[in-house]
Amino acid sequence: MPITVDIDVMLARRKMSVGELADRVGITPANLAVLKNGRAKAVRFTTLAALCEVLDCQPGDLLRWEAEDAAEG
């Protein structure tokens, strides 16, 4: 999929664990892992907004688009 999720980058910058982020956002660590590892097919805007609030960032800090060719190579 050409959308890449960079939650791990923001977690490292904020020195926050996956478990702490999941607790603060209000989702399970398993669901956060699905999103973080790029296996999610969709994300609710409410979840994205909560992630941005907790991580003090913009949606573009968490999501980026890559051309299919670049993603495969």
Side-chain angles (χ1 to χ4, degrees), residues 50-61:
L51 287 166
C52 290
E53 182 177 356
V54 170
L55 293 171
D56 189 27
C57 66
Q58 294 294 312
D61 296 327

Side-chain angles (χ1 to χ4, degrees), residues 9-65:
V9 173
M10 292 306 296
L11 283 171
R13 288 183 183 164
R14 303 297 187 252
K15 296 182 171 79
M16 188 181 297
S17 70
V18 171
E20 180 183 354
L21 179 60
D23 285 345
R24 292 179 62 184
V25 169
I27 62 176
T28 66
N31 284 341
L32 183 57
V34 167
L35 182 59
K36 186 173 94 61
N37 295 325
R39 295 189 317 261
K41 298 292 181 195
V43 60
R44 293 178 186 262
F45 281 167
T46 53
T47 302
L48 184 58
L51 287 166
C52 290
E53 182 177 356
V54 170
L55 293 171
D56 189 27
C57 66
Q58 294 294 312
D61 296 327
L62 300 176
L63 304 172
R64 65 186 154 87
W65 178 84

